[in-house]
Amino acid sequence: MHSSPSCSLSLPLSPLCSAGRGSESLSAEEKQEVRNTNTASDPSVMASVLSFYLSYLLLLSLSVCVLVCVCVWSSCWRGGFAWDGSALQFNWHPVLMVSGLLLLYGNGAVLYRVPLTWGQNKLPWKLLHAGLMLLALIFSIVGLCAVFEFHNKNKTPNLYSLHSWIGIAATALFALQWVFGAGVFLLPCSPPSLRGFLKPLHVWMGGGILGLSVAACISGINEKLFFVLKAVPSYSELPSEAVLGNSLGVLIVAFGLVVMRILSNQNWQRPDSRPEDLVYTPLLQEENE
């Protein structure tokens, strides 16, 4: 394979090229040859890929554990689900908020880090990322509707606790993040300079929203346990429901830490998303990579 003087052979977990050349300047055949040759010959690359997939497997396992715990809590200890303004309607709130604002959001955030997506047309992964985030936002909005309607029907004040403040702030920022992200990074009318300027802010806001989501979830768990375990056995006696709630909180924190670990590792960034190779291409203008 021929290469220009300013561009050396690249690794799957290393920049594809120097700042003078974007990743789109290599043909698909050249990229595949580089990727296959170096993946097979560089043990450090294989070790990094293996490390990523172990972290990703842990993330998926934590996702399943968190979802099972919150569903079991709501169905077995809190009586199940309904949409009638009763406490059974409230049970949709933790399930939908954890599923949307935390699990779908976190898994959607790390989508570009999966090595199997590298060297391929980025458009399907952009659409999948946007779709997962939109689904997460819908879940979150429905979860908020469940708790607001429950509060209104039972004459309970809205937005008075720290948990509610953090949760509503996370959802509002998430909605703004999705709208601006779709408008800036998907629509072809968005200028490249604007996309380049907003990319770091988009990434930073994504991490911040995840942190708020984790804080909202664990504060909500603690608040709910204090409300429902007032009688004997009390929360301080740590009955089985309290053990489940505390365990759920620990799993949520672990999930957030694993997501942040994946997002913060520079070696696990998609090569054509790194600063030295960054060429922003909007929707409908993607090239095969």
Side-chain angles (χ1 to χ4, degrees):
M1 186 180 71
H2 299 288
S3 61
S4 67
S6 62
C7 182
S8 59
L9 286 180
S10 56
L11 302 177
L13 298 176
S14 303
L16 286 177
C17 193
S18 65
R21 234 178 124 188
S23 62
E24 81 287 353
S25 62
L26 291 177
S27 68
E29 293 79 7
E30 286 175 320
K31 290 179 182 180
Q32 186 66 38
E33 180 183 347
V34 168
R35 185 166 57 251
N36 291 342
T37 299
N38 289 280
T39 300
S41 61
D42 194 325
S44 65
V45 171
M46 294 302 296
S48 187
V49 170
L50 177 61
S51 177
F52 170 84
Y53 279 116
L54 289 175
S55 298
Y56 190 56
L57 180 61
L58 176 59
L59 179 68
L60 295 178
S61 300
L62 288 170
S63 301
V64 173
C65 291
V66 167
L67 183 59
V68 169
C69 283
V70 71
C71 288
V72 168
W73 186 13
S74 295
S75 59
C76 296
W77 269 275
R78 295 293 100 215
F81 304 94
W83 200 278
D84 55 5
S86 68
L88 300 184
Q89 177 172 330
F90 176 89
N91 291 341
W92 282 112
H93 174 67
V95 171
L96 291 172
M97 299 305 288
V98 168
S99 300
L101 200 59
L102 185 78
L103 299 182
L104 282 173
Y105 184 91
N107 281 279
V110 304
L111 182 65
Y112 289 135
R113 301 301 199 270
V114 180
L116 287 177
T117 69
W118 300 354
Q120 301 179 20
N121 186 355
K122 197 174 182 180
L123 175 57
W125 304 106
K126 276 187 174 184
L127 295 176
L128 181 58
H129 173 77
L132 284 175
M133 292 304 189
L134 178 59
L135 185 61
L137 181 59
I138 292 173
F139 276 27
S140 303
I141 292 173
V142 176
L144 288 178
C145 290
V147 71
F148 274 105
E149 186 173 324
F150 166 74
H151 281 175
N152 293 336
K153 188 165 185 179
N154 292 274
K155 303 297 189 290
T156 303
N158 290 305
L159 300 177
Y160 67 88
S161 67
L162 179 60
H163 159 68
S164 60
W165 288 14
I166 296 174
I168 204 71
T171 307
L173 289 174
F174 183 16
L176 291 174
Q177 172 92 331
W178 193 91
V179 170
F180 281 103
V184 171
F185 298 108
L186 290 183
L187 298 182
C189 59
S190 175
S193 58
L194 178 62
R195 294 192 293 271
F197 174 75
L198 291 181
K199 175 69 174 182
L201 179 60
H202 185 76
V203 174
W204 177 77
M205 281 293 296
I209 292 169
L210 178 67
L212 287 175
S213 300
V214 171
C217 288
I218 59 177
S219 61
I221 291 169
N222 211 39
E223 182 177 292
K224 182 65 174 178
L225 288 174
F226 278 122
F227 282 155
V228 301
L229 296 178
K230 293 179 180 179
V232 177
S234 67
Y235 188 12
S236 62
E237 296 177 23
L238 208 64
S240 56
E241 184 174 0
V243 173
L244 177 65
N246 289 354
S247 300
L248 174 59
V250 171
L251 290 171
I252 286 173
V253 172
F255 175 88
L257 291 175
V258 174
V259 173
M260 294 305 296
R261 164 61 178 162
I262 293 175
L263 293 179
S264 63
N265 192 323
Q266 298 296 318
N267 290 330
W268 294 344
Q269 288 187 18
R270 182 182 172 99
D272 59 354
S273 294
R274 293 172 184 158
E276 59 266 35
D277 299 305
L278 205 51
V279 177
Y280 295 101
T281 308
L283 185 64
L284 305 180
Q285 296 182 14
E286 288 287 348
E287 297 179 354
N288 288 328
E289 299 175 351

